[in-house]
Every structure is written in structure tokens, then in C-alpha cells.
Amino acid sequence: MATVRSHAEHEPVPKTAEDPRDRILLAAGQEFAEHGYEAATVRDICLAAGVNVAAVNYYFGDKRRLYIESVKHAHEARVKQVPLPDWPPGTPAAQRLHDFVANMLERMLGFSQPPWQVRLMMREVLHPTDACRELVEDYIRPHFAVLVAILDDLAGHTLAEPELRRIALSIIGQCFLYRAAGDVVAMLVPADELASLHTPPQLAAHVTRYALAALGVGRPLPGKERIP
Amino acid sequence: MATVRSHAEHEPVPKTAEDPRDRILLAAGQEFAEHGYEAATVRDICLAAGVNVAAVNYYFGDKRRLYIESVKHAHEARVKQVPLPDWPPGTPAAQRLHDFVANMLERMLGFSQPPWQVRLMMREVLHPTDACRELVEDYIRPHFAVLVAILDDLAGHTLAEPELRRIALSIIGQCFLYRAAGDVVAMLVPADELASLHTPPQLAAHVTRYALAALGVGRPLPGKERIP
DNA sequence: AGTTGATTGAAACGCCTGTTTGAAACAGGC
DNA sequence: GCCTGTTTCAAACAGGCGTTTCAATCAACT
């Protein structure tokens, strides 16, 4: 629950002579991502940023505006960090679906390490604030449209848009669970299984196979064939 | 001194809303669900419960223990409120899968309206605290086991446990998305479509069909609904 | 009645919060 | 040097927080 705040939780942001404004933005993003808006304190943020408490109000006015700015900052950084694949024309839809899912999982779970930017955005998704609408329009909706287009190709343009959207949400939901409820998933699945099967690449393969089978494009899930 | 409640057996059966302890528990659950642990205040809780501020510490010791108790209380209430179906022996696995999904969606989204108990539990799932492990063991894991067993039947016992668990998580993830990220879903889907297709019964049919198709038990998605 | 122990109540205690203050430090142009 | 504008700093502010105190109240038993 972490009501007691450890003040040494994050090492102070390196004072590499950057703009104090940027240092605050960076520290604030990490702090907000970790503790949420209410529980994060401007004192901890300033401590991590290596600036005086007054700096937040000097540069951003108040805590709320600092929060909004840091969400936008994080979101822009993350978009540049993990862009969508750029498929050459003629790439099979199944391949594109797999790449898309792998990309989404990579962005959410992170091959390298769970990035604080995603945590911050996840908070917005789960409990929207003013910054959320911008996030959806600039970042989520375009990705959603790409996925719908892939599914449309995959189904041979036989399904209506609403049905495509439902399938798209089914795919997103599967990835989303691991990001949002990862701790609970870890409690439900044996540790060794978690380490071997619930990694981004394995999950991408599973989700893709699941979708292809459901669409009748691939075979049913592994193993024996069944009589309908 | 923190006096623990002496003996529940000697009191003349608490008249539901008259027991201060229960009133606090009720108010606390709603307040925690709405604002989260950190942002909820014991003063607001006591105001809503119509008791003195000191009552929280008198009955529960401190805020944290009140929180844990209220989570457990809400969880127990919700389980009794929407219990799992009790299938007669011989019920087809496909039927049971549909019922299970419908039950889960009903519990999460609420046929009537999203109850505060679910919000409270969702907070625990998304950002686990001490109360989470208990929640998983008492409530989530048994449900998870039921789903896995259904899928095992459905696959004709041809799939290994880890694979069954992955499929189960895929199903849960689809329901979970609507509960946890419902606001964003509402932004991505046209309003009329949301009202007609993204209702608990419609979603239950979709998720079930999706799973059956993936398992090769039903036809691929373009087909018609198989479950009554 | 009187005594006892469990509950309640209003007020206060520290502590921590976001924010403000006013002076000090710094820069660059004259 | 002086002046001017921007940036930093320690300190303080007012308010809210969880928690504690202690006297008052209540219910039940002797």
C-alpha cells in the first residue's frame, strides 16, 4: 500500500545541467506514475528533481498543471520511443496482426523494463482526467484504426465495422489485462509458467493464434482437430 | 487502548443499518471506492456514516485496517449478490462457458448499474495492497479454476493446463477491459453502437462465440450465435 | 440505588500538504 | 561600479490529515 513514503525511492534525476523545467517534468512523471496524482507530493518531486519546492509553482503554476504537462510530455516521449511497424505493401494481414499485437505488448509490458510512461498513461485510461481525451485522440484512436483495418483485411471484408471493433477490443483486452492486472495474473499462474509462457513474444503468438482461429483464418488452438 | 469488539454473540442481532460498525464499513467502502485509499478521508467517512471521528479508531484501530475490512466486506457482499450458476450435471460445456462469461460481465458491469463494491475490488486488482492476496485466494482463484475446468471440458481434455490458463486469461481480459477502461472504450466506439452491442448480454455472446471459434468448437465468427 | 465497563463526543495534537513570501544570487547591458 | 530582470532559496503560511485524549453518556448487572 505504501502509505509510508520512502524518500530514497527514486534516485535524484541527474542534474545534468538540463533545464530545471525538464528535470521537474521528468521527476514528476515518475512520481505521478508510481503513486498517482493525489499521493504524489510536490516536495518529493522537487527533491527528486533537485530543485526547490517553489520551483514547481514558479514554472507550472500549481500541481494540477504540472500533472497535465507531465502526462503530455510522457505520452509524446513514448510515441517516439516505440512506433508502429511500417509494413511494406503486400505484407500478409496475418503477419501484420502478429506484429501489431507484439508491438502493443512490447509497448505495454516492455521488453527492456516496465517504463514509467506507460504506467502514467495507464492511470489516465483507468481513471480519466482532463488529459485523457487528448491521449485517446492523439495516441489510442489511430492505433485502434490500424488494428481494425488489419482485421478487415483478415476477414476478407465480410464483417461489419461494429463487429470488427468488437474483435479489436477483444484483442486489446487480452493485452491490457497483463499490463493493468499483472500482479493478479502473477498470483494465478505458477511462477515458472509465468516466466516461460507469459512473456511478450509468447503472448503475442498466443493472442494472434487465438484471433486467427476465431476468424477461421488459422487452425483452432494447438493440438488435435475436433469434430464440430 | 484499542479495545477489540468484545463478543458479537451477545448482542441482539445488529439491526443492519443501526450498528455503527456496519455503518462505518458501508460508508468507508463507498468512499474508498470513489476516491481511493489515499484520497479518502476518515472525516468524510465518519460524516457519511453519522458517527464521530474517533469511532473509526475505536472500532478498527486505524485507517488501514478499516480499509482492509471494508474490502473484505464488499467482496463478501458481492459474492452473495451475484453467485456463480449452479449447473445441473450434464450441462454442456459450451453452455457453462456462456453462463460463466455472462456472470462475470454481470458482476463487473452490472445489469442494473455498476455498484461501488466492484469499483473497490477493481482498485485492488489494479494496484494491489495487503487486501489483495486475500481477495485473490478467496474470490478470484476459485472462479478462475471453474473457468479453466470448463475450458478443459470444452477442449476435450486435449490441452495442457498452461494453455488452458492462457485461454482463460484471454477470456477474462476481454471482460476486464470493459470494466477497467470503459471510459476509453466509450470514446472509441460510436454511442449508438455502444448502447446496442456493448451491453453485458451482447458481450457475453461475443466473448463466448470468440472462444468457441478459437477452440474449434463452434464456427468462425461470421456465423450466427449458437448459444440461446 | 450504585458500580462497572463499553461507547460516544468535542477538542486538541502533531505532522504533512500545496502554496506563498521576501530576500538573496545570478545574469547581462550600461 | 549601478541597474534590471530572472531565477533560486529557506522559511513560513493556512489548512487538512490520521490519530489521541479524556470527560460525558449509556446499558446492564448487583
Side-chain angles (χ1 to χ4, degrees):
Chain A
M1 188 167 320
T3 42
V4 182
R5 311 290 308 284
S6 158
H7 289 266
E9 207 159 314
H10 296 296
E11 73 284 6
V13 169
K15 305 171 186 173
T16 48
E18 256 189 280
D19 242 338
R21 213 186 116 97
D22 284 345
R23 288 213 313 273
I24 295 175
L25 230 32
L26 190 65
Q30 296 179 245
E31 212 68 27
F32 283 136
E34 188 69 24
H35 305 288
Y37 176 77
E38 317 261 9
T41 73
V42 309
R43 276 181 171 81
D44 284 350
I45 290 170
C46 291
L47 185 72
V51 302
N52 190 269
V53 257
V56 157
N57 300 83
Y58 179 77
Y59 283 105
F60 297 94
D62 58 13
K63 186 186 178 183
R64 173 142 243 119
R65 267 173 288 180
L66 167 61
Y67 175 74
I68 294 177
E69 286 301 311
S70 71
V71 169
K72 289 167 71 175
H73 189 76
H75 144 224
E76 285 160 13
R78 194 62 185 166
V79 164
K80 287 172 191 159
Q81 204 169 330
V82 186
L84 261 185
D86 193 9
W87 296 287
T91 308
Q95 176 70 46
R96 279 183 289 148
L97 177 61
H98 177 272
D99 291 349
F100 183 93
V101 171
N103 180 263
M104 177 161 51
L105 282 166
E106 167 64 23
R107 208 180 319 112
M108 283 183 170
L109 303 177
F111 223 132
S112 47
Q113 61 177 6
W116 59 267
Q117 288 101 334
V118 180
R119 274 188 177 245
L120 190 56
M121 283 187 272
M122 207 53 65
R123 277 188 190 276
E124 275 301 312
V125 167
L126 299 171
H127 205 327
T129 72
D130 301 338
C132 184
R133 181 149 247 115
E134 260 183 85
L135 207 63
V136 169
E137 297 304 328
D138 297 352
Y139 183 62
I140 297 178
R141 191 188 295 285
H143 276 244
F144 187 69
V146 169
L147 177 55
V148 168
I150 293 174
L151 292 173
D152 192 26
D153 284 358
L154 215 43
H157 312 282
T158 61
L159 296 180
E161 275 260 341
E163 180 65 13
L164 291 174
R165 277 194 275 268
R166 288 210 291 193
I167 300 173
L169 288 172
S170 287
I171 291 170
I172 292 170
Q174 294 174 59
C175 304
F176 182 75
L177 180 74
Y178 285 89
R179 167 75 272 173
D183 295 310
V184 172
V185 169
M187 294 187 203
L188 289 174
V189 171
D192 57 332
E193 185 180 321
L194 195 79
S196 63
L197 285 183
H198 297 259
T199 63
Q202 289 283 338
L203 284 176
H206 167 72
V207 172
T208 306
R209 206 162 357 111
Y210 196 84
L212 291 179
L215 284 166
V217 177
R219 359 186 155 73
L221 288 194
K224 321 292 181 182
E225 68 282 17
R226 265 166 291 286
I227 299 108
Chain B
M1 69 195 82
T3 322
V4 190
R5 192 172 169 69
S6 53
H7 272 330
E9 50 196 344
H10 277 195
E11 6 190 337
V13 176
K15 306 275 201 299
T16 47
E18 295 207 351
D19 195 354
R21 212 187 118 98
D22 285 346
R23 287 213 311 274
I24 295 174
L25 231 31
L26 189 67
Q30 296 178 250
E31 212 68 26
F32 284 135
E34 188 67 24
H35 302 107
Y37 176 78
E38 318 261 8
T41 74
V42 309
R43 278 181 170 83
D44 284 350
I45 290 170
C46 291
L47 187 71
V51 300
N52 191 269
V53 261
V56 155
N57 300 83
Y58 179 75
Y59 282 107
F60 298 95
D62 57 14
K63 184 187 181 185
R64 171 172 307 217
R65 267 173 288 180
L66 167 61
Y67 174 75
I68 294 176
E69 285 302 310
S70 71
V71 169
K72 288 168 69 175
H73 189 76
H75 141 227
E76 284 160 13
R78 193 63 183 165
V79 165
K80 287 173 190 158
Q81 205 171 330
V82 187
L84 261 184
D86 192 10
W87 297 288
T91 308
Q95 176 71 47
R96 280 182 288 148
L97 177 61
H98 177 271
D99 292 350
F100 184 93
V101 171
N103 180 263
M104 177 160 52
L105 282 165
E106 166 66 21
R107 208 180 318 114
M108 283 183 169
L109 303 177
F111 236 126
S112 46
Q113 64 175 8
W116 59 266
Q117 288 102 333
V118 181
R119 274 187 176 242
L120 189 56
M121 284 187 273
M122 209 52 66
R123 277 187 190 277
E124 274 302 311
V125 167
L126 298 172
H127 201 45
T129 72
D130 299 338
C132 186
R133 182 148 248 116
E134 264 184 82
L135 205 65
V136 169
E137 296 305 329
D138 297 351
Y139 183 61
I140 298 178
R141 190 188 296 283
H143 277 243
F144 188 69
V146 170
L147 177 56
V148 168
I150 293 174
L151 292 173
D152 192 25
D153 284 357
L154 214 44
H157 313 284
T158 61
L159 297 181
E161 276 260 340
E163 179 65 14
L164 291 173
R165 278 195 275 268
R166 286 210 291 194
I167 300 172
L169 289 173
S170 287
I171 290 171
I172 293 169
Q174 295 174 60
C175 304
F176 182 75
L177 179 75
Y178 285 89
R179 168 74 272 173
D183 294 311
V184 171
V185 170
M187 294 186 202
L188 290 174
V189 171
D192 57 332
E193 184 181 321
L194 195 79
S196 64
L197 285 183
H198 297 260
T199 63
Q202 289 283 338
L203 284 176
H206 166 73
V207 171
T208 306
R209 209 165 351 116
Y210 196 83
L212 291 179
L215 283 167
V217 177
R219 327 171 193 150
L221 276 197
K224 290 206 162 189
E225 189 178 334
R226 303 176 74 252
I227 304 298

